[in-house]
Amino acid sequence: LWLFFFLGRLAGLAPLISPYPPNFHNQSALLLPPAWSVNGSVDYMLGTDDLGRDILSRLMNGARLTFGLSIISVIVATIFGLIIGALAGLSTGVKSSFLNHLLDLALSIPSLLIAIIIVAIIGPGLANTVWAIILATLPLFVHAISNAVRDEMEKDYAIAYRLDGASMYQVLVHAILPNIFESIVIVATMATSSAILDIAALGFLRLGAQAPSSEWGAMLAESLDLLYIAPWTVALPGVLIFISVLSINLVGDGLSSALKRRLES
């Protein structure tokens, strides 16, 4: 959780605290190894790439693009998913059956493949990547929220609320949503790790962020040719992607365990 908060603060403050601008070139410091290496320099703690750009500064600014945009994408997908999922959960009959089959079909396709198809249609770029991630993640939220709403509507407290004269909207806002909030947070947490991987993958495939962007996936793609002569240029973005996904998954695991204990008590 602390690591998750650290990455969030880093994404917000990176332009203010990074040692150099992300695309600042120093022609006299090409392919410098990290500072702990014999040939390293403390001026460039994590070394430089083949254009003399500071890896640390680029990784810090890349946190805004990979980590920050994944959170923004998931927040937007959560809002739309909550609206559509609530309407789907309250629907019955043919409409409910059609929506369920449509969502099952969408969930059977990997989110990365959906994102690739969307980007291929609307064109590459970071802004289009964000929309692709939102649209690719949306079925997950709609499915989870609609199922949660449908389950809660059948419980005694919701039935009693309706018998007291409450409208569907009142039951949804005042009774159901407060009881499924934890479930929504858990789904959003897990979706964030998937969004990070999708943004990085699209950047790596050169369908998302384009060079000279400091997005972590784009940095991996740009430095792939340097793997044998400057492995730190590839390893460090990969390590950060791994740490980000690991921290979010562990937070989601913790939230799931806390919710289970809360329901049991």
Side-chain angles (χ1 to χ4, degrees), residues 178-179 182 257-265:
N179 283 292
E182 292 92 342
S257 299
L259 176 60
K260 188 180 295 184
R261 287 195 298 269
R262 180 175 178 271
L263 292 175
E264 288 174 353
S265 61

Side-chain angles (χ1 to χ4, degrees), residues 80-116:
F80 284 108
L82 185 60
I83 296 170
I84 301 172
L87 294 176
L90 295 176
S91 63
T92 56
V94 177
K95 187 192 298 183
S96 175
S97 178
F98 174 76
L99 284 172
N100 284 333
H101 289 305
L102 186 63
L103 289 171
D104 289 339
L105 177 63
L107 287 173
S108 66
I109 306 172
S111 62
L112 178 58
L113 181 57
I114 296 175
I116 290 174

Side-chain angles (χ1 to χ4, degrees), residues 90-265:
L90 295 176
S91 63
T92 56
V94 177
K95 187 192 298 183
S96 175
S97 178
F98 174 76
L99 284 172
N100 284 333
H101 289 305
L102 186 63
L103 289 171
D104 289 339
L105 177 63
L107 287 173
S108 66
I109 306 172
S111 62
L112 178 58
L113 181 57
I114 296 175
I116 290 174
I117 294 171
I118 295 171
V119 169
I121 294 172
I122 63 179
L126 198 55
N128 290 345
T129 297
V130 173
W131 284 111
I133 298 301
I134 292 171
L135 294 174
T137 312
L138 189 59
L140 174 65
F141 286 100
V142 175
H143 188 269
I145 292 171
S146 63
N147 285 344
V149 169
R150 196 172 289 112
D151 290 342
E152 294 296 320
M153 285 293 291
E154 296 175 356
K155 292 185 178 178
D156 292 342
Y157 77 92
I159 296 173
Y161 207 172
R162 291 170 62 190
L163 291 175
D164 283 341
S167 65
M168 282 291 195
Y169 174 78
Q170 290 173 323
V171 173
L172 179 66
V173 173
H174 299 293
I176 293 176
L177 289 184
N179 283 292
I180 66 172
F181 176 76
E182 292 92 342
S183 301
I184 296 173
V185 172
I186 292 171
V187 174
T189 305
M190 295 303 182
T192 304
S193 65
S194 177
I196 289 175
L197 291 174
D198 290 350
I199 289 176
L202 289 172
F204 182 77
L205 296 173
R206 304 184 191 279
L207 294 174
Q210 303 294 304
S213 172
S214 58
E215 192 274 319
W216 294 340
M219 287 180 65
L220 277 171
E222 197 175 353
S223 303
L224 203 57
D225 295 337
L226 306 173
L227 179 61
Y228 292 107
I229 60 174
W232 61 89
T233 59
V234 178
L236 292 172
V239 167
L240 270 183
I241 294 172
F242 170 75
I243 290 174
S244 302
V245 173
L246 179 64
S247 67
I248 292 171
N249 284 339
L250 290 176
V251 169
D253 250 1
L255 288 173
S256 179
S257 299
L259 176 60
K260 188 180 295 184
R261 287 195 298 269
R262 180 175 178 271
L263 292 175
E264 288 174 353
S265 61

